[in-house]
Amino acid sequence: MGPSGRDERAWVRGAQAGSASDLEALFRAHWPRAYRAAYLVVHDAAAAEDIAQEAFLAAIRALDRFDRRRPFGPWLHRIVVNRAIDWARARTLRAEAELGDHGSPDREPQDRDALLAAIAALDPDHRAVVVLRYLLEYTPGEIAALLELPRGTVNSRLRRGLDSLRERL
Amino acid sequence: VTAPDELRRRLRELELPGEAVAGARSWSVVRAAFAALEPVPRPRARRGGR
């Protein structure tokens, strides 16, 4: 579960005023889900770390302009998930060009877990909506806004993603 | 596992490689970047002005 809105607003206000301890509270509250979301889209620990870390660095660079009335999580998650999709798509293209396969990360040792392997078998766009819906708990309408997609596309990716997971598990 | 609630639980509880170490390492980087930020002057409320 994420932090309360009141805590989060206080941490953002404190960090804007220069408090490292408030920034740390914000980081501790949001890092685990940011890293997890990135990992589940890219299936690569180093890339997930870079993506989540870059999202936080972007956040502190924009901290003085951040509107405290808005929740921090969706803003961070938009950066994380879009960068993760870009990274995963680029890996697929690299693999197709270099190896002649589809860049599937199935052979990574950490994918021995059946659920991880099933998610890895989805394409990055389907992984992202599954992660946003079932890990980060956004509604389809919120996912559509975060990814700038029509809501029907989100619903269709969710349905196909779940169907694919069901077939594999 | 594909019932929505079960999927949510599994996604939250999956053990991911490097998770704890990545958090500690990234906090160091984020803290250093924050410390290097130039302080931004806050606009002051005007007192007794016209």
Side-chain angles (χ1 to χ4, degrees), chain A residues 73-105:
Chain A
W75 185 82
L76 186 75
H77 297 151
R78 178 197 300 267
I79 300 175
V80 167
V81 173
N82 279 305
R83 288 185 183 197
I85 292 170
D86 287 346
W87 191 95
R89 283 180 184 153
R91 177 173 59 188
T92 302
L93 292 174
R94 279 196 305 274
E96 283 173 352
E98 292 168 13
L99 304 173
D101 70 16
H102 296 290
S104 164

Side-chain angles (χ1 to χ4, degrees), chain A residues 15-16 18-20 23-24 27-28 31-32 35-36 39-40 45 49 53 56-57 60-61 63-64 110 113 115-116 119 130 133-135 137 162 165-166 169, chain B residues 1-35 37 40 42:
Chain A
Q16 285 175 325
S19 164
L23 180 73
E24 182 171 7
F27 180 89
R28 302 279 172 221
W31 171 266
Y35 177 82
R36 183 163 289 259
Y39 185 89
L40 289 170
E49 180 176 343
Q53 187 184 107
F56 276 98
L57 292 173
I60 65 168
R61 284 194 293 267
L63 200 54
D64 58 316
Q110 58 264 35
D113 180 283
L115 177 57
L116 274 178
I119 292 172
V130 167
R133 181 76 185 102
Y134 295 106
L135 174 70
E137 310 224 28
L162 280 183
L165 292 179
R166 198 171 287 124
L169 294 168
Chain B
V1 74
T2 51
D5 286 344
E6 177 65 2
L7 181 58
R8 283 188 182 93
R9 186 187 66 74
R10 290 282 309 275
L11 289 175
R12 280 197 307 267
E13 293 177 0
L14 270 175
E15 279 192 31
L16 301 182
E19 192 168 15
V21 177
R25 205 162 32 217
S26 290
W27 168 240
S28 300
V29 173
V30 169
R31 185 181 53 197
F34 184 69
L37 283 180
V40 177
R42 295 254 153 225

Side-chain angles (χ1 to χ4, degrees), chain A residues 1 8 12 14 29 31 45 59 75 80 85 91 98 100 111 121 146 151 159 162-163:
Chain A
M1 217 166 83
E8 190 171 281
V12 170
W31 171 266
W75 185 82
V80 167
I85 292 170
R91 177 173 59 188
E98 292 168 13
D111 284 350
L146 277 172
R151 186 166 168 164
R159 196 164 47 245
L162 280 183
D163 285 347

Side-chain angles (χ1 to χ4, degrees), chain A residues 1-12 21-34 56 66 68 70-77 135-138:
Chain A
M1 217 166 83
S4 77
R6 181 184 292 186
D7 283 346
E8 190 171 281
R9 283 192 294 277
W11 294 334
V12 170
S21 63
D22 282 324
L23 180 73
E24 182 171 7
L26 204 55
F27 180 89
R28 302 279 172 221
H30 285 281
W31 171 266
R33 294 204 305 166
F56 276 98
F66 187 76
R68 293 197 293 266
R70 305 185 70 168
F72 183 78
W75 185 82
L76 186 75
H77 297 151
L135 174 70
L136 301 177
E137 310 224 28
Y138 289 107

